[in-house]
Amino acid sequence: MNENVTNEDGPKSRNRIVAFVDILGASQAALSQQPSALVGNIFRLGRAMQWTHRVHSTSPDGGVTTQEFKPGVAQFSDCLLLWSDPLDGLEPEQFVGTAGSFLWNLCAELGSLLLRGVPFRAGVSEGPVFIYPELNIFAGRPIVEAVKLEGAQDWLGAAMLFADRPDRLIQRPDQVYGVGERSMFEHIVVPATPVPLKEDITTQLSGDAILALNWALSAKESQGPTYQALKTKLQALQANAGATAQRKYELAVQFLATVESISLGHPSDSAKVNGR
């Protein structure tokens, strides 16, 4: 279902979720020409991000159909651009399944990057984009927004931009699509945690809702990593980070404490990230 659509007037945009992921510290290591496992690992990240998820839906005759989806991935030096399958024209159940699964797997993979010792920052947006990998064309406002949002954050973490605009299928984080009251954002966004933004560029994203994404959500799975494993890795990375990066890691540790507290059913104000 990951097809591109053209017409007689040229390329046609499709609504997709897009994510821009930056690997922190990789560019500095590359410019310094110092041997670094981080630089070597970046070239394998694109393949690692190519998860497969299945969406089950009910056909008009009552049968159950299953579709498989994989994210699109393009790599630019130490950054990754990922995009979902088109979200246009889907039934509510398919829409929630496709969008929700993309976001869930994205968050889980970001947590996996951290456990492998790869620090990251990510910005996510949604809307009509022109994506033609065979022509090396990646264009559209959501891509620009995702890139700006990634660079605007002042921590190690991930956030998603929600904008109330007519051209978007996802306008608010509280949207529910009527299929058993399912929301694609359950467990994925963390409204209780303000996203720390750099003061000099916050005006570029003013008027839109920016929510933290729960990159630690896989720690809640019985077969997944533990919160302690994530804490240990964060602390090890922080110990090797420069002085200017210390606050970014401190905010990430606080965020992890908030998410863990929420998952245990007793959120604590003291665990919230006070980034703004």
Side-chain angles (χ1 to χ4, degrees):
M1 189 176 166
N2 197 13
E3 78 281 359
N4 289 298
V5 176
T6 61
N7 54 32
E8 294 179 356
D9 298 324
K12 180 178 179 181
S13 64
R14 305 295 302 274
N15 276 67
R16 302 175 190 267
I17 301 173
V18 294
F20 186 77
V21 183
D22 183 18
I23 307 306
L24 303 182
S27 58
Q28 292 90 332
L31 290 172
S32 68
Q33 297 183 349
Q34 296 177 354
S36 171
L38 188 60
V39 175
N41 285 339
I42 185 64
F43 296 105
R44 293 185 285 272
L45 292 181
R47 179 174 296 179
M49 282 288 193
Q50 291 180 343
W51 65 81
T52 299
H53 64 277
R54 295 173 174 83
V55 175
H56 306 284
S57 58
T58 304
S59 59
D61 61 1
V64 177
T65 60
T66 301
Q67 294 173 287
E68 290 192 354
F69 300 88
K70 287 187 177 183
V73 181
Q75 186 166 335
F76 311 94
S77 185
D78 58 346
C79 298
L80 297 172
L81 177 68
L82 299 100
W83 58 91
S84 72
D85 274 69
L87 303 176
D88 318 79
L90 298 178
E91 295 296 325
E93 185 176 2
Q94 292 177 305
F95 185 91
V96 173
T98 303
S101 187
F102 176 87
L103 290 168
W104 196 100
N105 281 281
L106 172 67
C107 288
E109 289 297 332
L110 289 175
S112 177
L113 286 185
L114 183 62
L115 286 169
R116 301 207 307 268
V118 182
F120 65 87
R121 191 168 54 221
V124 180
S125 188
E126 182 271 337
V129 290
F130 298 89
I131 293 183
Y132 291 84
E134 66 278 11
L135 300 175
N136 293 319
I137 295 176
F138 305 90
R141 181 170 185 156
I143 295 177
V144 176
E145 290 172 338
V147 173
K148 284 184 177 293
L149 179 55
E150 182 279 315
Q153 296 172 70
D154 199 19
W155 68 347
L156 184 155
M160 184 169 178
L161 178 73
F162 296 88
D164 189 0
R165 299 194 183 99
D167 62 353
R168 292 184 184 259
L169 300 178
I170 302 173
Q171 298 176 339
R172 305 184 315 278
D174 61 345
Q175 283 178 310
V176 176
Y177 286 84
V179 182
E181 293 300 300
R182 291 181 60 199
S183 171
M184 71 191 72
F185 304 111
E186 187 177 4
H187 307 305
I188 295 172
V189 298
V190 188
T193 303
V195 177
L197 301 176
K198 300 173 184 176
E199 292 183 1
D200 56 336
I201 54 178
T202 53
T203 55
Q204 299 179 22
L205 300 166
S206 61
D208 298 318
I210 298 173
L211 293 184
L213 290 178
N214 183 9
W215 46 265
L217 57 78
S218 61
K220 297 194 301 183
E221 300 298 313
S222 58
Q223 301 299 321
T226 63
Y227 286 108
Q228 185 56 49
L230 288 168
K231 290 178 187 175
T232 301
K233 181 57 67 174
L234 267 174
Q235 292 165 350
L237 290 170
Q238 182 178 4
N240 294 321
T244 58
Q246 289 299 307
R247 177 163 171 77
K248 293 180 175 62
Y249 282 93
E250 290 170 3
L251 291 172
V253 172
Q254 291 177 37
F255 174 79
L256 185 58
T258 297
V259 172
E260 181 179 18
S261 179
I262 292 173
S263 72
L264 295 175
H266 41 78
S268 170
D269 290 338
S270 63
K272 293 181 181 179
V273 176
N274 185 19
R276 289 187 287 179

